[in-house]
Amino acid sequence: MHVPDGFINAPTSAVTGVVAAGAIAVGLRGARRELDERTAPLAGLVAAFIFAVQMLNFPVAAGTSGHLLGGALAAILVGPYTGILCVSVVLLMQGILFADGGLTALGVNITDMAIVTTVVAYALFRGLVKVLPRTRRSVTVASFVAALVSVPAAALAFTLLYWIGGTTDVSIGKVATAMIGVHVLIGIGEAAITALTVGAVIAVRPDLVHGARGLRQRLKLRVNGELVDAPDAGPAPAPVAARSPRKVWITGLVASLVLAGFVSFYASASPDGLEKVAADKGIDEKTEEHASADSPLADYGVKDIANARVSGGLAGVIGVGVTVVAGSAVFWAVRRRRDDDTSPSSTTAGTAGDASV
């Protein structure tokens, strides 16, 4: 789904760049409400995990593969605003360091892979959670469905962008049919990965999953033959929430390094859904060389290392490391800004201002 330079014309790319910049600005502001001392460290890890899993292309049809987009996973784990930032960090690292996704098409990719997937997935997820029983299993089921739908939604968004600003004369109906068809299959893989990951985190630390907050069912009492909510007994102790997320962070980082550094060698070598459709339909006729084509890490390999296994594995490990550092820096800065906004001095100043009025 990474759109290279040359697929979409300059005006459309510029407009999506503005949309992406606006969404990131909104995400930075909204993430202040989502991140706290427990979840801020995990947001950078989520970005690194998405980077790692995106290296694991899985076969979906003859000669076609797919990989995780990650919008649904990020939104459910750390919140929709932070989720947009997570995927955007991944796309930025991939474009600059690994020549994956065009730099002039960065706005297109963020709009398609970060904004559309996150917004669609989280909106559907919240709707399902409201109607399903308030259990952990319901969160996992809702995660599966939301992730499944988010991928063809992104494929549809690309088709619309190509209809507006495509650089080749191709039947948009054929593009839509091919893109949505193959990405429904890719969505199944996305759904499985998302549900398994969300379910695993919920099993050990449900308090760290943004989408699982408020799942505690209220006690029911039978009064005159009818079930009614029991009165609140005051705030319940939260010993789990008081624990450090360090173990989860370390486990997630190790898993990301293993996936990117070792398992990625066994990923499918077939072109992904967009690459396959582009080659079959002639969308790629005006593809431009990537500005970072000479990067030492271009195409997910370390330059001058002949052994493919070592080269790809080392590139994956470097990618995970850079992404977790960059993501963590962004989210710690956002959290610090939140702390500054709610500091006693600012609160006192605001109160004094109100009193003077």
Side-chain angles (χ1 to χ4, degrees):
M1 188 68 79
H2 293 76
V3 179
D5 297 319
F7 274 28
I8 306 295
N9 63 27
T12 306
S13 297
V15 171
T16 57
V18 173
V19 172
I24 290 174
V26 173
L28 288 169
R29 189 173 185 84
R32 296 183 201 174
R33 300 190 298 270
E34 293 174 344
L35 298 174
D36 56 29
E37 66 279 359
R38 292 178 297 115
T39 56
L42 296 179
L45 174 63
V46 169
F49 183 77
I50 290 173
F51 174 91
V53 180
Q54 282 195 3
M55 294 183 66
L56 309 181
N57 281 49
F58 48 84
V60 295
T64 308
S65 70
H67 62 70
L68 181 82
L69 298 186
L73 177 62
I76 294 165
L77 287 179
V78 292
Y81 295 104
T82 309
I84 290 176
L85 300 179
C86 283
V87 182
S88 297
V89 168
V90 173
L91 293 172
L92 185 61
M93 295 298 102
Q94 290 171 331
I96 293 176
L97 298 178
F98 298 91
D100 189 9
L103 296 183
T104 62
L106 185 60
V108 174
N109 285 319
I110 290 177
T111 299
D112 196 27
M113 296 177 64
I115 301 172
V116 171
T117 58
T118 301
V119 171
V120 170
Y122 196 72
L124 181 56
F125 172 82
R126 294 308 306 173
L128 290 172
V129 167
K130 287 182 179 180
V131 299
L132 292 172
R134 297 170 63 82
T135 64
R136 296 178 183 179
R137 181 175 297 179
S138 296
V139 173
T140 304
V141 171
S143 301
F144 184 95
V145 177
L148 174 62
V149 174
S150 71
V151 177
L156 178 60
F158 168 79
T159 304
L160 292 175
L161 290 174
Y162 193 81
W163 178 51
I164 295 170
T167 55
T168 56
D169 186 14
V170 180
S171 169
I172 198 65
K174 293 181 179 179
V175 173
T177 300
M179 283 292 292
I180 296 174
V182 71
H183 283 89
V184 166
L185 300 177
I186 295 173
I188 297 174
E190 176 104 10
I193 295 170
T194 301
L196 287 171
T197 305
V198 171
V201 179
I202 286 180
V204 293
R205 289 295 300 270
D207 59 300
L208 297 179
V209 178
H210 180 89
R213 293 178 179 177
L215 282 184
R216 187 168 60 91
Q217 291 180 303
R218 297 192 64 175
L219 178 65
K220 297 285 186 178
L221 298 177
R222 186 174 297 277
V223 179
N224 297 327
E226 295 183 1
L227 288 175
V228 298
D229 290 332
D232 291 329
V240 174
R243 296 207 309 263
S244 168
R246 183 178 301 175
K247 289 184 179 180
V248 174
W249 196 92
I250 293 174
T251 301
L253 181 60
V254 170
S256 300
L257 292 171
V258 170
L259 291 174
F262 177 73
V263 181
S264 62
F265 181 78
Y266 302 97
S268 172
S270 299
D272 66 24
L274 176 58
E275 292 172 335
K276 179 65 173 176
V277 172
D280 290 346
K281 305 302 179 183
I283 295 176
D284 59 355
E285 290 180 1
K286 296 186 178 181
T287 303
E288 301 173 2
E289 184 179 13
H290 200 286
S292 299
D294 295 329
S295 166
L297 299 172
D299 298 323
Y300 297 93
V302 178
K303 191 175 182 180
D304 297 330
I305 295 183
N307 187 294
R309 185 190 295 270
V310 175
S311 177
L314 183 57
V317 169
I318 293 172
V320 168
V322 172
T323 303
V324 76
V325 169
S328 297
V330 170
F331 299 121
W332 274 112
V334 171
R335 183 208 163 194
R336 182 160 188 167
R337 181 68 181 271
R338 168 186 169 173
D339 292 344
D340 291 342
D341 289 344
T342 58
S343 64
S345 58
S346 62
T347 304
T348 303
T351 305
D354 292 341
S356 64
V357 173

